[in-house]
Amino acid sequence: MSGFEHESIMTEEEKKELTEILANQDISSATNTIKEYLKQKERVELNIGVTGESGSGKSKFVNAFRGLGDEDEDSAKTGPVETTMEPKVYPHPKYTNVKVWDLPGIGTPNFKADEYLQLVEFERYDFFIIVASDRFREYHTKLAKEIIRTGKQFYFIRSKIDVAIDGEKDKENFDQKKILDTIRENCVNGLNEIDGVDDPVVFLISSRDLSKYDFNRMHERIEKELPQHKRHVLIMTLPNITLEINEKKKEALKKGILKVALLSACVAAVPVAGLSIAVDLSIITFEIRKYLYAFGLDEKSLKNLCEQSGQTMETLENLITSVWYKGLLTGSLLPKLRDTTLLMSEDAVERVFSIVPIIGSLVAGGLSFLTVKFMLNKALNDIAEDARKVLMAAFKNLE
Ligand SMILES: Nc1nc2c(ncn2[C@@H]2O[C@H](COP(=O)(O)OP(=O)(O)OP(=O)(O)O)[C@@H](O)[C@H]2O)c(=O)[nH]1
Ligand SMILES: [Mg+2]
């Protein structure tokens, strides 16, 4: 590596910090934090990975893109044999937050796109520019597919257009537009065959003369899409962060389950008819309410979230599929809990049934230690999953 300390969209520390902040916030202030974070991130740097086969003109393009000639100070080395062997970063002189990375060439017979992307540390780039100086080939497909698989985007550049035009100039029926159309079509057709590429973007470029062909169009497009790229990248990382937070919350809440289940077992030992089951049900209801609050699945939090994200209450509530939220809201959770079919429908409880004489204990006393534990665990998992879906829907609206 060049020794350059790169900053990707989110460093591990930043991610950790954001996770901590979000973990300690309720659902709506978490959304606010994300919004702020998005705003901040729009101002930070963007890393573009320029890739393509060896000799296709990547380095020359990196220079041209930055408005530099090949001989200028700070320009990337180019030439017939000057192979770029490792990723090297070149900041854009005008847009200092834009960093262009000159990557090693692809296209050896056994080219493995996944290994290549690992090698160049693909996470670092916000998007890729694939440079091709000849016709569209299999390794372009492989690379494009792999880039899509990693969740990144790319632009496709057909370079050395001046050479292609020059090569045809002597022909009698020379028609520049026709040649350009054919080249474009070849690239677009190749890209169209790849799943996940709906509207391929191909730019025809001569790094020798940027004023010709598609260079300006490409520049405008990338410039226009810069903030979206940042946002997109961040939004892509949110599901993971949210999952992490949910796991943390779950772990914290899980610690209480054992205590509650033990408490319930102790009550069951008190020989007062009906006491145990009543206590169990109120304990369980209390705990479930606590979980819903912790994950922001209560009416107040959800209303706030609607205001923040512009989602409707109906949309969010429809995403909450487990019985716990609606049960508490309508007061129908208690009857549901009493209804043993709710318990019996679960495989795990069925397995427990075979070991513990639960029916007997339900009639005579409270629920068993294992059942309380199981129910609370299930409620916790369901609620965490519902919360994840709700948050994702709210985040999606921010994009
Ligand atoms: N005429 C013309 N020549 C170009 C163009 N782009 C690149 N070249 C030439 O093609 C050769 C290879 O260009 P480089 O930019 O070094 O290629 P590269 O993709 O970086 O190659 P590696 O680092 O070896 O993978 C050089 O001699 C460039 O001057 C172009 O658009 N037009
Ligand atoms: Mg090079």
Side-chain angles (χ1 to χ4, degrees), residues 97-113:
N97 58 340
V98 175
K99 302 220 153 93
V100 193
W101 290 78
D102 192 6
L103 303 184
I106 64 162
T108 51
N110 295 324
F111 173 66
K112 297 225 166 47

Side-chain angles (χ1 to χ4, degrees), residues 78-114:
T78 61
V81 289
E82 194 73 57
T83 308
T84 309
M85 298 297 286
E86 56 182 31
K88 213 166 168 224
V89 66
Y90 296 94
H92 196 292
K94 191 168 151 206
Y95 311 99
T96 46
N97 58 340
V98 175
K99 302 220 153 93
V100 193
W101 290 78
D102 192 6
L103 303 184
I106 64 162
T108 51
N110 295 324
F111 173 66
K112 297 225 166 47
D114 52 343

